[in-house]
Amino acid sequence: MPQVVRPRIAVLHGTHPASPLPQRFRSLADREAVEVLHRAARVLVASLPVLTDRLVEALYEQEPGYRAAIESDRAEIWQEVHHSLRHNVGSLIQPREFREAAHRTSRRIGEIRAEQGVPLDAVLHAFRMGGAMVWQDLVDETARRDPDDVRLLVHVAADVWNFVDEHCGIVGDAYRQAERRLSWRRENQQRLMIAALLDGTARIADLCEAAAMLGLPEQGRYAVLAVASAPRGPQRPGPARPPLNLPAALPVAAPYGQSGPDLPHVRPDAPALSGAAPYGQSGLHGPPHARPDTVPLPTAFPGTAPLWHTGPDAEFAILRLTGDPGDPGELHAIAAALDAPAGTRAGIGSAVEGLAALGDARRLAETALRACPASGGTVLLDEHLPDALVVTSPALGSALADRVLGPLDRLDPSDRDVILETLTAWLDADGSAQRAGARLYCHRNTVLNRLRRFEQLTGRCLTRPRDAVEVSLALAARRLLAP
């Protein structure tokens, strides 16, 4: 209203040429209307405490979104309403002096209500209730003083309600900006918390807050999935999260401030936070971050998406487990249902107890990932422990491979590869030359002849358990540690 009323008053006091008679009458009517408005507004300023009491009570009775805030701290709400009314009613009288202060007050209210979680609709309704109450009091005061003057308020009614709408817009903009800041802050806190959990640097004192923030039980069972895409060339450094189909034996993270035993969100659009975020930058939600393009969940697994986090060399997903502690079937089912593009490597670590052990779970998942063939596939650590032994000590693994298999390197490469292929097939067939021959499309005697040649070249005896173990580990080292 003030910006509309001011130009009209300026015209009345200016030195403009005479206007046609109808316009002069309209200008006189506007001046009289403004004077009537100012007289009534001055009375409202004098009785602001009573007006504030009435508005706070009306908010409590008519706006559920404000009820909890009023019950929690009625004095604070009263002061806020009184401050807003003082500046806004003052703007009706002295717009130039009060306009900026009124705008600052409205912006502050929008920010505070966003921080408190009061719905935006409730905040805008409260402002319109205040505008309606002020307008009604202006009309009542004018009618009490001189009923004939009420008709003059028609000339400024649109200005008053434009003023209310202007402040509703200011409140809405401030609310949404604060909401975006809070959302970013929550997601950033989630990222930092997930980074600390997966790094093993989270403080014990922070675990309760982490559980509430992520919507996960502090003492639940967890495993970590590590995923690395196939190399894409030097122009695409760093991990790239591939699209995955994950089984949903995993809970969605609840928004911060909420909790639930079976609740990546953080906002469930994330975030993915359905996820949270890049490991080391972390997401939900970037937050955020690159996530699998889609995570369709098989109906056989009742749950939702895990919390993703980006590391320097791989993507990590926190998997919450709900099966019996001694039953490995849940991890087997997740590994079997995992569907990744060709060339993608995935490793699933062993189950751990509690959020405090997620750092260990990540390291186990990284070990499983290193035990995954370069050509891609999924490795469940509990089923590949010998391979894990090799990759956790690559120097010793390479030394063992050179010691056991080194004599074969003197052969022609094609001849050497045939012997290694035959040896691998025989071990995979549990020492059955018949089954190994079927895999290699050759006679069992051919398999036995190649195995005898290996023993002659290396001095190893495959029927001796110690030598068989060393040969198996050496083959794993040659396969996994090859440059």
Side-chain angles (χ1 to χ4, degrees):
M1 183 210 86
Q3 68 271 28
V4 179
V5 173
R6 282 202 307 273
R8 292 177 177 173
I9 295 176
V11 169
L12 292 173
H13 294 283
T15 57
H16 299 284
S19 302
L21 192 59
Q23 181 63 40
R24 184 172 61 85
F25 284 158
R26 173 63 188 273
S27 299
L28 290 174
D30 284 351
R31 182 171 63 181
E32 293 174 2
V34 170
E35 291 172 352
V36 168
L37 177 68
H38 286 182
R39 280 199 302 269
R42 290 190 187 97
V43 175
L44 263 62
V45 170
S47 60
L48 271 184
V50 176
L51 178 59
T52 303
D53 288 339
R54 289 168 48 214
L55 182 52
V56 171
E57 190 60 33
L59 289 173
Y60 183 81
E61 293 177 356
Q62 301 176 34
E63 181 44 68
Y66 265 75
R67 195 166 297 149
I70 293 174
E71 289 175 347
S72 174
D73 195 340
R74 192 181 189 94
E76 180 185 355
I77 300 297
W78 193 96
Q79 288 294 339
E80 178 186 280
V81 171
H82 184 268
H83 198 61
S84 177
L85 288 173
R86 179 164 60 86
H87 285 102
N88 290 333
V89 175
S91 294
L92 300 178
I93 306 170
Q94 296 174 296
R96 211 168 272 184
E97 289 79 358
F98 283 92
R99 178 184 176 85
E100 285 305 316
H103 285 184
R104 285 195 301 271
T105 300
S106 296
R107 280 193 291 269
R108 181 60 182 155
I109 291 174
E111 293 170 353
I112 291 174
R113 292 295 165 260
E115 293 171 358
Q116 293 176 338
V118 177
L120 178 57
D121 287 347
V123 181
L124 297 178
H125 182 217
F127 262 76
R128 293 191 176 98
M129 286 176 62
M133 187 172 289
V134 168
W135 175 252
Q136 188 60 51
D137 280 12
L138 290 172
V139 173
D140 292 346
E141 173 58 28
T142 301
R144 185 191 64 78
R145 184 182 185 92
D146 187 347
D148 290 340
D149 286 346
V150 172
R151 60 184 175 78
L152 293 173
L153 292 180
V154 173
H155 296 282
V156 294
D159 300 334
V160 172
W161 285 106
N162 286 339
F163 178 81
V164 173
D165 286 343
E166 175 190 8
H167 279 261
C168 284
I170 292 171
V171 168
D173 289 343
Y175 185 102
R176 284 183 282 269
Q177 290 173 10
E179 197 173 39
R180 284 193 292 270
R181 288 196 302 270
L182 291 169
S183 176
W184 178 87
R185 192 180 306 157
R186 278 194 299 269
E187 290 177 346
N188 194 50
Q189 288 173 338
Q190 288 174 333
R191 296 189 197 106
L192 294 175
M193 185 60 72
I194 293 175
L197 289 171
L198 290 175
D199 226 9
T201 57
R203 301 184 306 169
I204 297 298
D206 293 334
L207 293 180
C208 184
E209 180 185 356
M213 181 185 297
L214 303 176
L216 298 172
E218 183 178 347
Q219 299 303 326
R221 291 178 64 245
Y222 299 96
V224 170
L225 164 69
V227 181
S229 295
R232 300 190 179 187
Q235 73 280 9
R236 296 288 300 275
R241 185 175 301 173
L244 296 173
N245 290 330
L246 278 174
L250 324 160
V252 167
Y256 186 42
Q258 299 182 17
S259 62
D262 294 311
L263 284 182
H265 299 344
V266 205
R267 291 180 317 227
D269 55 359
L273 206 4
S274 242
Y279 180 57
Q281 7 172 99
S282 246
L284 256 155
H285 318 242
H289 14 284
R291 309 187 154 69
D293 298 332
T294 58
V295 186
L297 304 174
T299 56
F301 298 91
T304 45
L307 292 170
W308 282 98
H309 204 63
T310 302
D313 301 310
E315 297 282 343
F316 297 94
I318 298 175
L319 316 178
R320 182 186 165 197
L321 307 178
T322 57
D324 295 333
D327 181 13
E330 188 171 10
L331 286 177
H332 284 248
I334 293 174
L338 187 64
D339 182 18
T344 299
R345 298 161 51 239
I348 302 176
S350 304
V352 298
E353 296 289 337
L355 292 177
L358 280 178
D360 294 332
R362 177 187 64 83
R363 286 185 283 274
L364 293 172
E366 287 179 323
T367 299
L369 184 63
R370 291 199 298 272
C372 189
S375 58
T378 300
V379 166
L380 185 59
L381 181 64
D382 291 346
E383 293 184 344
H384 295 78
L385 293 177
D387 291 352
L389 287 174
V390 169
V391 298
T392 52
S393 184
L396 290 178
S398 297
L400 178 63
D402 291 341
R403 178 184 176 86
V404 175
L405 304 177
L408 300 181
D409 292 335
R410 294 192 292 269
L411 300 176
D412 182 79
S414 60
D415 197 12
R416 178 199 60 201
D417 292 344
V418 167
I419 293 178
L420 291 177
E421 182 183 19
T422 302
L423 187 59
T424 301
W426 180 75
L427 289 171
D428 290 342
D430 297 326
S432 170
Q434 186 73 37
R435 293 201 301 271
R439 292 187 183 186
L440 298 172
Y441 302 101
C442 65
H443 195 274
R444 64 181 298 276
N445 290 340
T446 303
V447 172
L448 293 174
N449 290 334
R450 293 172 181 173
L451 294 179
R452 278 193 293 269
R453 188 179 181 201
F454 169 80
E455 291 178 328
Q456 293 168 359
L457 290 169
T458 62
R460 305 284 166 170
C461 178
L462 295 176
T463 58
R464 186 183 301 138
R466 179 187 180 91
D467 285 357
V469 170
E470 288 186 353
V471 169
S472 177
L473 292 176
L475 287 171
R478 179 68 64 95
R479 182 181 74 254
L480 298 172
L481 303 177

